[in-house]
């Protein structure tokens, strides 16, 4: 995490996603995991998706976009 050396945000994100996915399922809500498709072996964002390791770049958004679109479609279909 180059912006704040020593800070490791990945473990809390992974833990939160493990809680959110089943919570969403239990409450008939749509959960879109954007972390897993972008994560590298450190569970962080590689330079190909985020030059600073934090903020997605165009390539990162190109990975996220169809996932979000699919989530929106699932949510609209659930009505």
């Amino acid at each position: 995490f180059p912006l704040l050396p020593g800070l490791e945000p990945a473990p809390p994100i992974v833990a939160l996603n493990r809680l959110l996915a089943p919570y969403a399922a239990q409450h008939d809500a749509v959960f879109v995991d954007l972390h897993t498709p972008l994560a590298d072996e450190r569970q962080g964002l590689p330079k190909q998706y985020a030059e600073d390791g934090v903020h997605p770049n165009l390539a990162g958004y190109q990975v996220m976009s169809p996932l979000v679109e699919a989530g929106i479609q699932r949510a609209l279909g659930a009505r």
Side-chain angles (χ1 to χ4, degrees):
F1 200 53
L3 295 176
L4 297 169
L7 183 63
E8 296 294 331
I13 291 170
V14 171
L16 182 60
N17 281 350
R18 283 192 193 124
L19 295 172
L20 288 175
Y23 180 86
Q26 290 173 351
H27 292 83
D28 201 25
V30 175
F31 171 72
V32 178
D33 177 7
L34 298 175
H35 176 75
T36 301
L38 295 171
D40 61 13
E41 66 281 349
R42 305 172 299 111
Q43 292 300 311
L45 292 178
K47 287 199 179 285
Q48 94 185 66
Y49 297 134
E51 283 85 12
D52 64 1
V54 178
H55 303 95
N57 59 21
L58 179 60
Y61 283 114
Q62 287 172 332
V63 171
M64 292 188 292
S65 180
L67 301 171
V68 171
E69 289 290 333
I72 291 168
Q73 292 306 312
R74 286 195 315 270
L76 292 174
R79 291 183 173 198

